[in-house]
Amino acid sequence: MSTTSRTSHILSKNIELIKKSSSHWELILNRPNKYNAITSDMYDGITQILNEAAKDEELVLLSMTGKGKFYSSGTDLSDPAKAFTSAPDDMEVVMEQAITRLKDFIESFINFPKILIAFINGPAIGISVTTLGLFDGVYASSSSTFALPFTRTAQSAEGCSSYTFPSLMGSLRAKEILLFDRELNAQEAQQRGLVTQVIEENVFEQEKQKICQQILSLPKGSLLAGKALIQKWNIDQLKQVNVEELNTLKQRWTTDEFIEAITNFMSTRKRSKL
């Protein structure tokens, strides 16, 4: 993926990277017809963009948002569903590839040294929610919702959420979301510390620009040194959490519960296409 131009729109499949200036890049999940569900290629592309952005000496701010009505519906389950059902003899290889991809993806957020801001323009599900605890600011449209259907899909927490969510919300409130499938609206997410600020939907785009301008008006050196200091105390802990979460997730993928859930998912997809 070329990232040489300072002003051009760089298009990868289902990802748009806009270099608004030398100090600000905007990453847009660009798969609105599939609710910005994240495919394997998108995971790799986002990881690459974050790793490249981390090395850019002029960059201060990377913001992320979604195109269309959704921020993201999380992992596109058709990817693992096809892999798990079409190659049962290679399950171990398929799972290891998926775990490695997720590990690299989540670590790119954990390690990111620039300011990372999420602009949640609509519903967010799964990993697009769990990783929010790794951002420096989360600004949500009043139309946004936050859901983690891990238990319903026979999976388990990822994105370091088993650590960040209890830290943000307290144990009981975090368990309500991580374990009991409780969906939050934007105001509830803000009350629980997952969202920095709720913005009315009709002024979301204008306010987004103002927030970025305000961040970029601050002294760059002080801003990034401050982030590095805050980040320093938790970075090793988060990497360990990531490993433990993914080990548990891999174990869940081998259970009858998960196989049943993924089979039901594929059956539902087939019926919906008839």
Side-chain angles (χ1 to χ4, degrees):
M1 181 187 304
S2 172
T3 56
T4 54
S5 172
R6 290 295 178 191
T7 56
S8 64
H9 292 225
I10 295 100
L11 294 171
S12 180
K13 190 174 182 182
N14 303 318
I15 301 171
E16 184 175 3
L17 178 63
I18 303 176
K19 295 192 172 182
K20 291 179 168 286
S21 69
S22 61
S23 57
H24 179 202
W25 298 359
E26 182 177 50
L27 190 159
I28 303 172
L29 302 174
N30 186 21
R31 201 183 177 215
N33 59 323
K34 297 293 184 181
Y35 309 111
N36 296 324
I38 305 171
T39 64
S40 297
D41 287 344
M42 290 172 71
Y43 274 117
D44 292 342
I46 294 166
T47 302
Q48 181 182 346
I49 289 169
L50 262 68
N51 288 340
E52 288 182 6
K55 298 172 187 173
D56 190 292
E57 293 183 359
E58 295 183 51
L59 187 69
V60 176
L61 168 65
L62 178 66
S63 57
M64 287 184 62
T65 193
K67 183 163 285 188
K69 294 184 177 180
F70 269 64
Y71 176 66
S72 173
S73 57
T75 299
D76 187 339
L77 288 178
S78 63
D79 265 13
K82 288 175 185 174
F84 290 151
T85 55
S86 65
D89 295 337
D90 296 326
M91 276 279 285
E92 184 64 31
V93 174
V94 170
M95 286 192 295
E96 198 56 47
Q97 288 173 341
I99 290 297
T100 299
R101 176 175 284 115
L102 280 173
K103 181 176 181 292
D104 292 344
F105 174 80
I106 295 162
E107 278 203 359
S108 70
F109 287 85
I110 294 171
N111 291 327
F112 196 64
K114 315 294 184 177
I115 301 302
L116 185 62
I117 302 292
F119 289 103
I120 312 298
N121 55 296
I125 300 171
I127 199 164
S128 70
V129 177
T130 58
T131 49
L132 294 178
L134 303 174
F135 280 71
D136 303 307
V138 179
Y139 297 86
S141 165
S142 55
S143 66
S144 61
T145 56
F146 302 81
L148 296 174
F150 294 133
T151 308
R152 182 154 36 98
T153 56
Q155 299 187 84
S156 56
E158 25 81 323
C160 296
S161 57
S162 66
Y163 177 81
T164 58
F165 279 36
S167 297
L168 289 168
M169 307 174 190
S171 178
L172 293 179
R173 287 193 161 192
K175 287 174 183 174
E176 189 179 27
I177 304 166
L178 293 169
L179 300 181
F180 305 145
D181 205 14
R182 168 83 147 80
E183 182 179 291
L184 303 180
N185 61 34
Q187 288 74 24
E188 290 170 328
Q190 184 181 28
Q191 289 165 4
R192 297 190 184 207
L194 186 61
V195 164
T196 308
Q197 179 184 338
V198 177
I199 302 169
E200 288 301 318
E201 184 179 14
N202 62 331
V203 294
F204 187 71
E205 287 301 316
Q206 300 95 298
E207 290 300 311
K208 184 171 79 168
Q209 300 308 318
K210 290 179 184 177
I211 290 164
C212 291
Q213 288 168 6
Q214 191 275 328
I215 292 170
L216 292 170
S217 72
L218 298 169
K220 172 184 173 180
S222 179
L223 194 61
L224 298 182
K227 167 158 182 176
L229 190 61
I230 294 168
Q231 196 176 33
K232 179 178 181 179
W233 314 115
N234 282 329
I235 195 164
D236 291 334
Q237 179 72 54
L238 289 169
K239 288 179 180 179
Q240 182 60 37
V241 170
N242 190 28
V243 170
E244 293 293 338
E245 286 183 346
L246 293 177
N247 284 341
T248 301
L249 186 59
K250 185 179 177 182
Q251 290 169 9
R252 294 301 309 154
W253 288 346
T254 65
T255 65
D256 291 340
E257 283 183 338
F258 177 73
I259 299 301
E260 182 180 355
I262 209 75
T263 301
N264 290 339
F265 172 78
M266 289 299 286
S267 298
T268 301
R269 277 178 60 88
K270 287 177 182 178
R271 286 197 299 271
S272 68
K273 291 178 180 179
L274 295 177

